[in-house]
Amino acid sequence: MSFSKVVRSLIKPARGLLTSSEPNLKRSYAAVTEAKAVLEHELDSIRAAGTWKAERIITSKQGPQINVEGSRDSILNFCANNYLGLSSHPEVVQAGVDALKTHGAGLSSVRFICGTQDLHKNLEQKLAEFHEREDCILYASCFDANAGLFEVLLGPDDAVLSDELNHASIIDGIRLCRAKRLRYKHMDLKDLEEKLREAQSSRMRLVVTDGVFSMDGDVAPLRGICDLAEQYGAMVFIDECHATGFLGPRGRGTDELLGVMDRVQIVNSTLGKALGGAAGGYTVGPKPLIDLLRQRSRPYLFSNALPPPVVGCATRAVELLLASSEIAQSMTAKTMRFRNKMTQAGFTISGSSHPICPVMLGDARLASLMADDMLKHGIYVIGFSYPVVPKGKARIRVQISAAHTDSDIDRCLDAFIQTGRKHGVIS
């Protein structure tokens, strides 16, 4: 048989295969086209509602002053969770560089296989010391810590009682467990007590709350919660992401601020905010709980170990706070300077004395437009709207840092007053 005949004999069956698959391919293309149309419709509705979340590009390190793509001058940043200014602290940065050199870029593995280094154990020990708890376990994020706790701790014979405004990661974590779920009204001790009575037949009861609610800067009534927990035989869990490092006389958090460190059994928090601002989360609590989490917590077992540079930065941040509470103590005066002057100017500021200072505006489009105008004045803030906050509760969430000077705060105040008058928010 000639070469050309061989080629033709191979091509014919191939053509037959292509022809027979054409209807399937067409259906596949149609499915993709339909899905794209659905997605574009959803995106258009977000834009129309004024809740589109554009990402601004920062071209510098995190700090009180940053460079933003499209702006020629440096911008004052009042929107970071960098509460203590440690994200760019020279000693914190150097510790990350040193860890990179001595321990490499990453472990390429989960902790129990070949992903645990002496750095990880050292940081866990320091975090347990910082919070005055028995032991600590590290996670890739506090979202993972919240996702990994409840499923391990609670079973179908148990009950979990959760504040209705708890962080999304807490809500998702609770959904994974099989315990009876009871949601109480936001910071409402009377409603919590009713739910605790309802849960008395359960084997274990766990009251779950944010220490500080990040959208409003509300501080949970931990004294009352602990009183009720002890009365009804429950344990208490708090998420301290927006408190660790700067609330309380020594910056230990909400439980120290309110004098209940020995009455809160479990604390989850993050390394990604005040403690260096990189990544990572953790749980501190009784050693048997931490040991069990190492055996069964899925986000811990199936996620790579935290990279050494991240661990190095966080360790140095914790060491600085263990050595001195001076940075944490500087927050109060700066926070109240901003809150008081904004209130005097006619703005509504949610929360009480927390560095999270939500400027309440209500309208999502207004929040977005004001944030854009603030950037023109050299102030970086972001409008928060649904689904990050409830509909009708849009705001610009200002966050004060220990690294801000009084002059920085006054510049932010002046920009808010000018922008607020332009948009009719204040007179």
Side-chain angles (χ1 to χ4, degrees), residues 16 58 111 142-143 167 177 232 255 282 302 362 365 374 399:
I58 297 173
R111 287 280 298 269
C142 190
F143 204 111
H167 192 272
C177 78
Y232 289 94
D255 53 351
Y282 57 89
F302 299 107
R365 194 180 301 277
M374 290 288 289
Q399 288 170 267

Side-chain angles (χ1 to χ4, degrees), residues 185-361:
K185 295 175 184 176
H186 181 47
M187 301 200 306
D188 188 326
L189 294 177
K190 184 177 179 181
D191 192 43
L192 173 58
E193 184 170 15
E194 290 178 4
K195 299 298 190 297
L196 281 165
R197 287 197 191 104
E198 186 180 337
Q200 281 304 286
S201 61
S202 299
R203 181 187 63 170
M204 288 195 302
R205 290 158 295 284
L206 180 67
V207 180
V208 174
T209 182
D210 283 348
V212 172
F213 294 85
S214 61
M215 289 301 108
D216 296 294
D218 291 333
V219 177
L222 284 184
R223 287 198 191 101
I225 288 173
C226 290
D227 288 344
L228 288 173
E230 290 163 7
Q231 181 180 345
Y232 289 94
M235 297 186 296
V236 178
F237 161 97
I238 55 174
D239 180 309
E240 286 285 83
C241 287
H242 290 275
T244 297
F246 57 93
L247 277 194
R250 300 171 299 153
R252 297 319 192 247
T254 315
D255 53 351
E256 183 190 42
L257 177 71
L258 298 178
V260 293
M261 286 188 76
D262 59 340
R263 302 170 70 191
V264 173
Q265 286 73 39
I266 308 168
V267 176
N268 276 9
S269 195
T270 182
L271 307 174
K273 292 181 172 59
L275 302 185
Y282 57 89
T283 298
V284 293
K287 191 175 189 309
L289 170 64
I290 304 304
D291 288 343
L292 186 60
L293 290 173
R294 292 192 196 280
Q295 300 302 311
R296 292 186 178 171
S297 182
R298 291 163 69 87
Y300 178 82
L301 290 171
F302 299 107
S303 297
N304 265 24
L306 277 176
V310 171
V311 179
C313 289
T315 301
R316 187 61 190 137
V318 176
E319 288 172 348
L320 290 171
L321 296 178
L322 284 168
S324 172
S325 59
E326 183 179 349
I327 304 176
Q329 291 173 352
S330 72
M331 294 289 293
T332 303
K334 294 177 181 181
T335 296
M336 297 317 296
R337 180 186 187 90
F338 180 83
R339 282 182 168 273
N340 291 338
K341 291 195 173 186
M342 284 289 284
T343 301
Q344 290 166 12
F347 289 99
T348 300
I349 310 298
S350 183
S352 53
S353 58
H354 193 276
I356 293 174
C357 303
V359 183
M360 303 304 293
L361 300 169

Side-chain angles (χ1 to χ4, degrees), residues 74-148:
S74 64
I75 305 295
L76 282 175
N77 188 4
F78 278 86
C79 199
N81 293 317
N82 184 24
Y83 291 108
L84 299 176
L86 297 181
S87 295
S88 54
H89 190 287
E91 292 184 39
V92 172
V93 173
Q94 187 59 50
V97 172
D98 294 343
L100 178 65
K101 291 179 178 178
T102 58
H103 288 70
L107 278 301
S108 306
S109 188
V110 300
R111 287 280 298 269
F112 82 95
I113 298 177
C114 61
T116 297
Q117 292 177 320
D118 54 346
L119 289 175
H120 297 97
K121 300 305 293 183
N122 181 45
L123 177 55
E124 287 172 335
Q125 183 272 321
K126 289 185 182 301
L127 286 167
E129 177 187 350
F130 183 81
H131 286 280
E132 299 178 6
R133 293 333 195 263
E134 290 181 2
D135 204 356
C136 171
I137 180 173
L138 290 173
Y139 287 90
S141 67
C142 190
F143 204 111
D144 278 351
N146 285 336

